[in-house]
PDB file of all heavy atoms in Angstrom:
ATOM      1  N   ALA N  12      -4.105  15.337  42.934  1.00  0.00           N
ATOM      2  CA  ALA N  12      -4.489  16.752  42.967  1.00  0.00           C
ATOM      3  C   ALA N  12      -3.288  17.653  43.254  1.00  0.00           C
ATOM      4  O   ALA N  12      -3.406  18.874  43.228  1.00  0.00           O
ATOM      5  CB  ALA N  12      -5.580  16.968  44.009  1.00  0.00           C
ATOM      6  N   GLY N  13      -2.136  17.065  43.550  1.00  0.00           N
ATOM      7  CA  GLY N  13      -0.944  17.868  43.836  1.00  0.00           C
ATOM      8  C   GLY N  13      -1.053  18.626  45.143  1.00  0.00           C
ATOM      9  O   GLY N  13      -0.582  19.752  45.284  1.00  0.00           O
ATOM     10  N   ILE N  14      -1.695  17.992  46.125  1.00  0.00           N
ATOM     11  CA  ILE N  14      -1.861  18.634  47.435  1.00  0.00           C
ATOM     12  C   ILE N  14      -0.528  18.631  48.182  1.00  0.00           C
ATOM     13  O   ILE N  14       0.194  17.637  48.182  1.00  0.00           O
ATOM     14  CB  ILE N  14      -2.903  17.864  48.269  1.00  0.00           C
ATOM     15  CG1 ILE N  14      -4.260  17.904  47.584  1.00  0.00           C
ATOM     16  CG2 ILE N  14      -3.002  18.419  49.678  1.00  0.00           C
ATOM     17  CD1 ILE N  14      -4.841  19.280  47.463  1.00  0.00           C
ATOM     18  N   LEU N  15      -0.236  19.747  48.814  1.00  0.00           N
ATOM     19  CA  LEU N  15       0.942  19.831  49.672  1.00  0.00           C
ATOM     20  C   LEU N  15       0.509  19.422  51.079  1.00  0.00           C
ATOM     21  O   LEU N  15      -0.421  20.008  51.633  1.00  0.00           O
ATOM     22  CB  LEU N  15       1.491  21.255  49.681  1.00  0.00           C
ATOM     23  CG  LEU N  15       2.705  21.505  50.574  1.00  0.00           C
ATOM     24  CD1 LEU N  15       3.919  20.736  50.082  1.00  0.00           C
ATOM     25  CD2 LEU N  15       3.032  22.990  50.624  1.00  0.00           C
ATOM     26  N   GLY N  16       1.147  18.378  51.623  1.00  0.00           N
ATOM     27  CA  GLY N  16       0.812  17.919  52.977  1.00  0.00           C
ATOM     28  C   GLY N  16       1.695  18.593  54.013  1.00  0.00           C
ATOM     29  O   GLY N  16       2.723  19.187  53.685  1.00  0.00           O
ATOM     30  N   MET N  17       1.292  18.455  55.274  1.00  0.00           N
ATOM     31  CA  MET N  17       2.003  19.100  56.377  1.00  0.00           C
ATOM     32  C   MET N  17       3.463  18.648  56.476  1.00  0.00           C
ATOM     33  O   MET N  17       4.357  19.475  56.650  1.00  0.00           O
ATOM     34  CB  MET N  17       1.273  18.762  57.677  1.00  0.00           C
ATOM     35  CG  MET N  17       1.770  19.498  58.878  1.00  0.00           C
ATOM     36  SD  MET N  17       1.392  21.242  58.805  1.00  0.00           S
ATOM     37  CE  MET N  17      -0.243  21.279  59.530  1.00  0.00           C
ATOM     38  N   ASN N  18       3.703  17.340  56.338  1.00  0.00           N
ATOM     39  CA  ASN N  18       5.078  16.845  56.481  1.00  0.00           C
ATOM     40  C   ASN N  18       5.986  17.405  55.398  1.00  0.00           C
ATOM     41  O   ASN N  18       7.112  17.817  55.668  1.00  0.00           O
ATOM     42  CB  ASN N  18       5.104  15.322  56.420  1.00  0.00           C
ATOM     43  CG  ASN N  18       4.444  14.702  57.634  1.00  0.00           C
ATOM     44  OD1 ASN N  18       4.446  15.302  58.707  1.00  0.00           O
ATOM     45  ND2 ASN N  18       3.877  13.536  57.465  1.00  0.00           N
ATOM     46  N   ARG N  19       5.507  17.403  54.165  1.00  0.00           N
ATOM     47  CA  ARG N  19       6.334  17.893  53.070  1.00  0.00           C
ATOM     48  C   ARG N  19       6.540  19.407  53.195  1.00  0.00           C
ATOM     49  O   ARG N  19       7.620  19.924  52.958  1.00  0.00           O
ATOM     50  CB  ARG N  19       5.695  17.561  51.722  1.00  0.00           C
ATOM     51  CG  ARG N  19       6.636  17.740  50.549  1.00  0.00           C
ATOM     52  CD  ARG N  19       5.986  17.370  49.243  1.00  0.00           C
ATOM     53  NE  ARG N  19       5.544  15.986  49.196  1.00  0.00           N
ATOM     54  CZ  ARG N  19       6.338  14.958  48.917  1.00  0.00           C
ATOM     55  NH1 ARG N  19       7.598  15.168  48.648  1.00  0.00           N
ATOM     56  NH2 ARG N  19       5.869  13.730  48.905  1.00  0.00           N
ATOM     57  N   ARG N  20       5.474  20.116  53.606  1.00  0.00           N
ATOM     58  CA  ARG N  20       5.620  21.550  53.783  1.00  0.00           C
ATOM     59  C   ARG N  20       6.738  21.843  54.780  1.00  0.00           C
ATOM     60  O   ARG N  20       7.600  22.679  54.545  1.00  0.00           O
ATOM     61  CB  ARG N  20       4.307  22.163  54.306  1.00  0.00           C
ATOM     62  CG  ARG N  20       4.394  23.661  54.487  1.00  0.00           C
ATOM     63  CD  ARG N  20       3.378  24.213  55.451  1.00  0.00           C
ATOM     64  NE  ARG N  20       3.711  23.906  56.851  1.00  0.00           N
ATOM     65  CZ  ARG N  20       3.081  24.420  57.887  1.00  0.00           C
ATOM     66  NH1 ARG N  20       2.062  25.229  57.717  1.00  0.00           N
ATOM     67  NH2 ARG N  20       3.442  24.102  59.111  1.00  0.00           N
ATOM     68  N   ASN N  21       6.727  21.113  55.892  1.00  0.00           N
ATOM     69  CA  ASN N  21       7.737  21.356  56.920  1.00  0.00           C
ATOM     70  C   ASN N  21       9.134  20.973  56.467  1.00  0.00           C
ATOM     71  O   ASN N  21      10.075  21.756  56.610  1.00  0.00           O
ATOM     72  CB  ASN N  21       7.393  20.570  58.182  1.00  0.00           C
ATOM     73  CG  ASN N  21       6.147  21.099  58.863  1.00  0.00           C
ATOM     74  OD1 ASN N  21       5.699  22.209  58.558  1.00  0.00           O
ATOM     75  ND2 ASN N  21       5.573  20.323  59.747  1.00  0.00           N
ATOM     76  N   ALA N  22       9.270  19.763  55.906  1.00  0.00           N
ATOM     77  CA  ALA N  22      10.609  19.249  55.626  1.00  0.00           C
ATOM     78  C   ALA N  22      11.197  19.838  54.346  1.00  0.00           C
ATOM     79  O   ALA N  22      12.359  20.234  54.319  1.00  0.00           O
ATOM     80  CB  ALA N  22      10.565  17.726  55.528  1.00  0.00           C
ATOM     81  N   GLU N  23      10.394  19.919  53.305  1.00  0.00           N
ATOM     82  CA  GLU N  23      10.971  20.299  52.013  1.00  0.00           C
ATOM     83  C   GLU N  23      10.862  21.785  51.706  1.00  0.00           C
ATOM     84  O   GLU N  23      11.577  22.291  50.850  1.00  0.00           O
ATOM     85  CB  GLU N  23      10.317  19.487  50.884  1.00  0.00           C
ATOM     86  CG  GLU N  23      10.778  18.045  50.918  1.00  0.00           C
ATOM     87  CD  GLU N  23      10.228  17.233  49.763  1.00  0.00           C
ATOM     88  OE1 GLU N  23       9.621  17.807  48.837  1.00  0.00           O
ATOM     89  OE2 GLU N  23      10.397  16.001  49.803  1.00  0.00           O
ATOM     90  N   TYR N  24       9.959  22.480  52.354  1.00  0.00           N
ATOM     91  CA  TYR N  24       9.831  23.896  52.043  1.00  0.00           C
ATOM     92  C   TYR N  24      10.250  24.792  53.199  1.00  0.00           C
ATOM     93  O   TYR N  24      11.158  25.600  53.053  1.00  0.00           O
ATOM     94  CB  TYR N  24       8.412  24.192  51.536  1.00  0.00           C
ATOM     95  CG  TYR N  24       8.203  23.475  50.213  1.00  0.00           C
ATOM     96  CD1 TYR N  24       7.548  22.261  50.156  1.00  0.00           C
ATOM     97  CD2 TYR N  24       8.780  23.978  49.046  1.00  0.00           C
ATOM     98  CE1 TYR N  24       7.426  21.573  48.954  1.00  0.00           C
ATOM     99  CE2 TYR N  24       8.670  23.290  47.841  1.00  0.00           C
ATOM    100  CZ  TYR N  24       7.997  22.090  47.802  1.00  0.00           C
ATOM    101  OH  TYR N  24       7.908  21.404  46.625  1.00  0.00           O
ATOM    102  N   ILE N  25       9.593  24.635  54.357  1.00  0.00           N
ATOM    103  CA  ILE N  25       9.935  25.535  55.462  1.00  0.00           C
ATOM    104  C   ILE N  25      11.374  25.307  55.916  1.00  0.00           C
ATOM    105  O   ILE N  25      12.158  26.254  56.031  1.00  0.00           O
ATOM    106  CB  ILE N  25       8.935  25.367  56.624  1.00  0.00           C
ATOM    107  CG1 ILE N  25       7.571  25.880  56.172  1.00  0.00           C
ATOM    108  CG2 ILE N  25       9.420  26.128  57.852  1.00  0.00           C
ATOM    109  CD1 ILE N  25       6.496  25.811  57.196  1.00  0.00           C
TER     110      ILE N  25
END
Side-chain angles (χ1 to χ4, degrees):
Chain N
I14 298 296
L15 178 65
M17 188 69 87
N18 292 331
R19 194 178 300 278
R20 181 202 74 171
N21 292 345
E23 288 184 9
Y24 295 98
I25 292 181

